[in-house]
Every structure is written in structure tokens, then in C-alpha cells.
């Protein structure tokens, strides 16, 4: 029997979630909208995304948090990758006591010696090496390589094409940008942001943005208390 996936919240990566779900034979039954849609320049509206899906698969229905009722045989995943997703996860747990699934695209490789906590997503053509631990709701986008024996903190997100060496520890809520490279045996602080294309050769403090080759601190970020 096909798994019925319910996605809480939407974002620009919704199509990646749908693609991964259908790649492993799941059906996406429902998208639960939790806040008004914000359309930024070059964003694709939800209804346009669903129209594209309907050309290939059965498009999911859309409902709101207040109208949603859990059903039998469902699995659950978060749609947003922004820091707001932590609050959405807490709301879902408090309201319905639901647990989240993991979703790995069929073209990705996750070592049997790696560990994925609930809510983890791994996109197409990514590689998760032995000994790596992904804490809850880590989002790994397409074409990412995570070396051996890393620990990636909860609610972190790794953008397409990033290459992370092994034996490193990443804090909670870290963002690693498009095509960034992080050498091995480093510590990346909570809520740090590694800019796209950066090459990180040394430890990164908490709540800073680093950029460049080699990466240096470019900005102090506002404290995040999640």
C-alpha cells in the first residue's frame, strides 16, 4: 500500500518534496497551509506548482491547519526550510501529537551506518556517508555530499551542491549555502550561515555569516533562541 504523505507548510522547495515522494512510490495526499502565502520575486505560487504536478501525478488537496484532521495511514513532513519551521513542528505536535517521517529521494545514497532523525529530508543525488548523524528536521537538498562521521544539528539546511568534509560538528539551525565547501574536523556554531560558494577552512562561531575563499566572518547575525 502506498504511503500517503501530508506536508505541513509550503515553500519554494515544495516541488523537491513532491518529486522525492513520488520517486519512492508515495502519494502526496494533502498540503496543510499554515500561514498566508508570500510571493516574492521569481517565486512560483502554490497553485501554479500544483498545476504542474497535475500534469504528471495526482495533485494533493490543499487545506488549512484549522480544517485539517489526521487520517489513517498518513506520514507527515514539514514543507518550509526557514527558521519558522521549528514553530510549525511544535504546533503540529502540540495539536495532534503527530510524529514526522524521513524522506529520501530514490537517487540519493544514505549509508546504513548513518542515522537520520525524524523529519529529515535528503534530496536527489545526495550522499550521506557512514557514521553521519542528522538530527531532527535537517534538510539536505540536491547533489550534496556529507562526509563520514559528521553531526548536523536540528533544523539545519544544506543547499544544493554543498560538499562537507567528515568528522565535523554542525550546531542547530545552521545554513550551508549553494556549492559551499567545508573542510573536515571543524565546529560550526549554532545558527551560523555559510554563504554560497564559500570555502571554510576553520571553525565558525555561532550566529555569524561567513563568505569567501577562504571564508571569513562578514556579518554578526541576530540572536536566535530556538
Amino acid at each position: 500500500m502506498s504511503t500517503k504523505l501530508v506536508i505541513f507548510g509550503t515553500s519554494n522547495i515544495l516541488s523537491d518534496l513532491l518529486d522525492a515522494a513520488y520517486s519512492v512510490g508515495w502519494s502526496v495526499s494533502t498540503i496543510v497551509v499554515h500561514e498566508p502565502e508570500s510571493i516574492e520575486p521569481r517565486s512560483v505560487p502554490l497553485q501554479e506548482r500544483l498545476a504542474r504536478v497535475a500534469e504528471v501525478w495526482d495533485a494533493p488537496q490543499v487545506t488549512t491547519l484549522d480544517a485539517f484532521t489526521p487520517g489513517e495511514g498518513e506520514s507527515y513532513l514539514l514543507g518550509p526550510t526557514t527558521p519558522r519551521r521549528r514553530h510549525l513542528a511544535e504546533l503540529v505536535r502540540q495539536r495532534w501529537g503527530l510524529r514526522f517521517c524521513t524522506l529520501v529521494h530514490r537517487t540519493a545514497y544514505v549509508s546504513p551506518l548513518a542515522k537520520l532523525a525524524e523529519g529529515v529530508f535528503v534530496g536527489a543525488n545526495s550522499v550521506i556517508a557512514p557514521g553521519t548523524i542528522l538530527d531532527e528536521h535537517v534538510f539536505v537538498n540536491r547533489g550534496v555530499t556529507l562526509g563520514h562521521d559528521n553531526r548536523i544539528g536540528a533544523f539545519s539546511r544544506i543547499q544544493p551542491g554543498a560538499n562537507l568534509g567528515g568528522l565535523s560538528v554542525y550546531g542547530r539551525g545552521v545554513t550551508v549555502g549553494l556549492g559551499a565547501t567545508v573542510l573536515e574536523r571543524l565546529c560550526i556554531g549554532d545558527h551560523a550561515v555559510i554563504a554560497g560558494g564559500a570555502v571554510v577552512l576553520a571553525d565558525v562561531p555561532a550566529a555569524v555569516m561567513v563568505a569567501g575563499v577562504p571564508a571569513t566572518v562578514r556579518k554578526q547575525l541576530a540572536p536566535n533562541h530556538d
Side-chain angles (χ1 to χ4, degrees), residues 109 122-128 139-146 158-164:
Y109 175 75
V122 180
N125 296 315
S126 288
V127 176
I128 313 297
F139 183 88
V140 179
N141 215 312
R142 289 164 271 106
V144 169
T145 299
L146 299 185
I158 317 297
Q159 305 287 37
N163 185 8
L164 279 56

Side-chain angles (χ1 to χ4, degrees), residues 6-10 17 30-34 64-65 68 70 74-80 85 88-89 92 96 98-100:
V6 174
I7 298 173
F8 286 96
T10 64
L17 301 181
T30 309
I31 295 171
V32 183
V33 178
H34 71 299
T64 63
L65 276 175
F68 175 73
E74 293 176 339
S75 293
Y76 306 100
L77 199 67
L78 293 182
R85 69 194 189 281
L88 179 56
V92 170
W96 296 289
L98 301 177
R99 302 295 299 268
F100 294 92

Side-chain angles (χ1 to χ4, degrees), residues 84-165:
R84 295 194 303 276
R85 69 194 189 281
R86 179 183 66 85
H87 304 289
L88 179 56
E90 291 177 354
L91 178 60
V92 170
R93 285 176 178 147
Q94 290 169 3
R95 185 171 294 192
W96 296 289
L98 301 177
R99 302 295 299 268
F100 294 92
C101 66
T102 60
L103 175 58
V104 177
H105 195 283
R106 70 177 181 84
T107 63
Y109 175 75
V110 177
S111 168
L113 300 178
K115 294 182 179 180
L116 277 55
E118 71 170 281
V120 167
F121 172 80
V122 180
N125 296 315
S126 288
V127 176
I128 313 297
T132 283
I133 299 172
L134 305 183
D135 290 339
E136 63 176 355
H137 298 293
V138 170
F139 183 88
V140 179
N141 215 312
R142 289 164 271 106
V144 169
T145 299
L146 299 185
H148 65 92
D149 301 298
N150 283 304
R151 178 102 189 215
I152 313 292
F155 297 98
S156 293
R157 52 182 178 173
I158 317 297
Q159 305 287 37
N163 185 8
L164 279 56

